Amino acid sequence: TAIPHLLGGMDSRSKAQQAPLATALLTAVMRCGVLDDSQLKGFDFARLPQAAETLLACAKDLFMVNPVQQAQDPGTIPIAAGLNAERQALVTNNGKASWISDKDALQTLKLNMVRIVGSEQAFPTEASDQLHERRFMALLCASADPYFQKVADYGKDSLKRMRPIDSESRLFVDMANTMILGTVATRDDAEAPRSPVAPAIRLRLLGFLSRSITAVSIYPQWIKVISECLFSTNSTAKLRQNAMIFLQWALNKAPEEQVLHAAPTLMKNIHQVLAESSAGGTLSMLNADTIRGASYVAWGTLVRRVPTLIQEDLDHLHSIFGAFETESATVRLSIQEALVAMLPAYKPQRISSNL
């Protein structure tokens, strides 16, 4: 197969030279069919990490590309979530590649690519941790493919066969944060800003961050991740629920000085979730009780960690007691849990003199 030869030195070429090489590489992958073990082992990516990283970068971007209508003008193709115009152009030959407008061709290309990336012959266990984590991210994107179930299933199966990912790895957490938040342009950046990845990918990443101490020690990224997953326009009920789980994790595990600094913003976020759901927005229609209950528990946990936030303000206590009259029985259980957490923040004599 020509694939290893096309990968060699691709990253060292100019952008103008990379484009035809990327098209040739993806065309070769689309036409290669199902490779046998000896062919996959011949890639020898453990010994050629630069070539492996080039392939994984292309694969991750490819897995986020969506099919378009055949007659669509290449200049009007929407940029897929998680990409920028430059990277989408690279993996679609500026929107002119056959696979962008042919769903069957795109499925074939993605299936062949996920078989290579998911192969332990091509990526043996002795590959570096960095390569392992980049491979994991590519397969995670494949596992969330909304158009091709075969690609998603193969991605999920490949993830199960991989050795566990280290959720405390700084590289892994940084990549996850970047994918969830997108990137912004800086003077030194060679690459244009990328948009956040699709909600389904964010949801999977959030599951790993919600058990990572490293993730909640990087400030202000963790609070930005919470806000993005709670309030972005394309967020989903499941993503919001998991954002509340991550918020709880952060409130319990983040360093004290970070929680103290973030407390006003976190309280504002909690009240915004409650206000939006009570106003009849999307939150109230989609598993509102779960999200509202988690919001009250987060409220109580935040007060427990930062008692000075409300010690001189009994409005919080009045509000949370008042919620008993309006919330469902399920949510009232969460309110009780919140009260137990926050009551120690109040001086008994002040409560008795003001209630």
Side-chain angles (χ1 to χ4, degrees), residues 50-65:
Q50 191 59 55
E53 288 198 18
T54 300
L55 177 74
L56 292 174
C58 282
K60 182 164 76 73
D61 290 344
L62 173 69
F63 294 142
M64 291 187 282
V65 166

Side-chain angles (χ1 to χ4, degrees), residues 16 18 46 56 89 102 130 152 167 172 176 179 189 202 205 223 239 254 271 281 301 314 326 342 345:
Q18 284 181 15
L56 292 174
D102 183 340
Q130 178 175 315
S167 59
F172 173 79
M179 290 169 70
D189 237 340
R202 274 181 272 166
L205 291 170
I223 193 170
L239 186 55
H271 287 167
T301 307
L314 291 181
T326 58
M342 71 168 56

Side-chain angles (χ1 to χ4, degrees), residues 117-260:
V117 176
S119 166
E120 294 184 2
Q121 282 73 37
F123 292 90
T125 53
E126 61 264 26
S128 68
D129 290 343
Q130 178 175 315
L131 209 57
H132 175 69
E133 290 168 5
R134 294 189 186 282
R135 179 178 170 228
F136 180 91
M137 288 303 195
L139 290 171
L140 191 76
C141 292
S143 74
D145 194 301
Y147 294 96
F148 305 116
Q149 191 59 49
K150 288 182 179 179
V151 175
D153 289 344
Y154 203 98
K156 290 172 188 173
D157 290 342
S158 298
L159 288 172
K160 290 175 185 175
R161 293 195 301 269
M162 289 183 71
R163 59 185 165 95
I165 200 73
D166 178 10
S167 59
E168 301 300 340
S169 160
R170 180 61 188 256
L171 174 63
F172 173 79
V173 172
D174 284 344
M175 284 194 294
N177 285 339
T178 299
M179 290 169 70
I180 291 172
L181 297 173
T183 59
V184 295
T186 65
R187 216 174 261 181
D188 300 327
D189 237 340
E191 186 174 89
R194 287 181 181 241
S195 62
V197 293
I201 301 174
R202 274 181 272 166
L203 180 63
R204 287 162 170 78
L205 291 170
L206 212 50
F208 290 94
L209 297 184
S210 295
R211 54 177 184 265
S212 169
I213 299 294
T214 302
V216 293
S217 66
I218 306 172
Y219 184 83
Q221 270 64 31
W222 61 261
I223 193 170
K224 289 180 179 180
V225 165
I226 291 166
S227 296
E228 171 68 25
C229 294
L230 281 176
F231 304 120
S232 61
T233 54
N234 65 345
S235 190
T236 64
K238 281 188 176 180
L239 186 55
R240 292 184 179 106
Q241 288 172 19
N242 280 267
M244 295 307 297
I245 292 171
F246 183 46
L247 172 56
Q248 281 282 4
W249 176 258
L251 289 174
N252 282 297
K253 301 295 184 181
E256 183 176 352
E257 66 275 9
Q258 292 186 11
V259 178
L260 185 64

